[in-house]
Amino acid sequence: MKYEILYQDAFPLVKCDLQRGEKIKAESDAMVAMSATLEVNGAMNGGIIGGLARRMLTGESFFFQTIDAVRGDGSVLLGHPAPGGIIDVELDGSYSLRVQKTGFLAATDSIQVDTTMQNLAQGLFSREGFFVVKISGRGTVFLSSYGAIHAINLADNEEYIVDNGHLVAWPDYMNYKIEKASNGWISSFMSGECLVCRFRGPGVVLIQTRNPASFKQWLGTTLGNS
């Protein structure tokens, strides 16, 4: 499958060129436009239990879209509702991705999308909750974000601190610790960060340049003062 990410600077789309017999899966309502030779259907990845788990535990849609080139070659345009970026990730099957809620956009048909549980501290204190999206298999995955996506490539034993509202995705062989942003709780609270995630390399952590929770808070304050 050939693909291209269009309009990266603002409100991007993914253009996927499918040959007859190829298909791609996408988040519900991701299809923007497609060739008449393609067909879109609703499907469940992992059956009813998998669909329920995604919906109830991570907030993802119960159904996926499958776009299938049943009548010949064609192209499909895929987008997501947030004003943010799209990035492509190639998985070779040797590891899986942990992805924030609502971060999955689309993937080749060989990719599996499930849910997985975080540990107690991560579940209680990260903004992702106890469950995140698990993406595995061999193929191409398209992830979406709020704001642009920035990759932080960490060398072996290199550490980096990320505000937990800015996480998009990280490989399953990387772990992170929840900790105070500053030495003391009062200082952490006054800094506006409070709790952060400390990652240790090697590995690549994908972050988003904007925080949806902060925007919601700003929007509420702005509308409340109008």
Side-chain angles (χ1 to χ4, degrees):
M1 182 191 73
K2 295 181 180 179
Y3 65 87
E4 182 181 4
I5 301 177
L6 308 173
Y7 317 115
Q8 275 283 34
D9 291 338
F11 305 107
L13 293 170
V14 179
K15 179 178 180 288
C16 298
D17 297 319
L18 303 178
Q19 295 183 342
R20 185 167 189 163
E22 286 187 320
K23 67 174 67 173
I24 188 171
K25 68 179 68 172
E27 183 64 6
S28 178
D29 201 33
M31 193 277 290
V32 176
M34 67 182 187
S35 302
T37 51
L38 306 186
E39 189 174 280
V40 60
N41 293 290
M44 287 182 292
N45 191 79
I48 294 177
I49 299 300
L52 285 172
R54 285 192 306 275
R55 182 60 183 167
M56 298 176 65
L57 302 178
T58 67
E60 294 281 347
S61 298
F62 183 83
F63 293 103
F64 286 118
Q65 292 180 335
T66 60
I67 296 97
D68 195 347
V70 293
R71 289 182 289 275
D73 300 351
S75 63
V76 59
L77 296 173
L78 303 171
H80 66 105
I86 296 175
I87 192 171
D88 56 319
V89 178
E90 293 292 331
L91 293 181
D92 61 7
S94 64
Y95 68 95
S96 62
L97 278 179
R98 302 292 188 261
V99 180
Q100 66 153 345
K101 300 171 184 177
T102 74
F104 170 76
L105 175 63
T108 50
D109 193 50
S110 56
I111 293 293
Q112 296 296 313
V113 183
D114 302 296
T115 58
T116 189
M117 178 180 270
Q118 302 200 92
N119 65 36
L120 182 61
Q122 293 167 346
L124 284 174
F125 300 114
S126 77
R127 293 178 182 173
E128 299 305 324
F130 280 103
F131 294 89
V132 293
V133 179
K134 174 186 175 183
I135 300 178
S136 58
R138 295 174 60 92
T140 306
V141 182
F142 299 100
L143 304 177
S144 61
S145 67
Y146 179 57
I149 297 177
H150 176 70
I152 301 173
N153 198 337
L154 299 182
D156 191 24
N157 289 321
E158 181 182 3
E159 293 186 336
Y160 218 83
I161 294 171
V162 179
D163 178 280
N164 56 13
H166 288 264
L167 279 176
V168 173
W170 60 98
D172 64 348
Y173 56 79
M174 291 185 77
N175 208 340
Y176 68 88
K177 297 188 298 182
I178 299 289
E179 60 182 39
K180 302 186 299 292
S182 303
N183 291 330
W185 283 109
I186 294 176
S187 178
S188 296
F189 178 77
M190 293 176 64
S191 72
E193 297 296 335
C194 198
L195 295 173
V196 295
C197 306
R198 180 184 292 268
F199 282 88
R200 173 176 290 183
V204 178
V205 182
L206 299 178
I207 65 172
Q208 56 193 7
T209 58
R210 296 294 181 267
N211 184 333
S214 296
F215 175 71
K216 186 183 296 184
Q217 183 179 9
W218 173 84
L219 190 62
T221 302
T222 302
L223 293 178
N225 292 334
S226 62

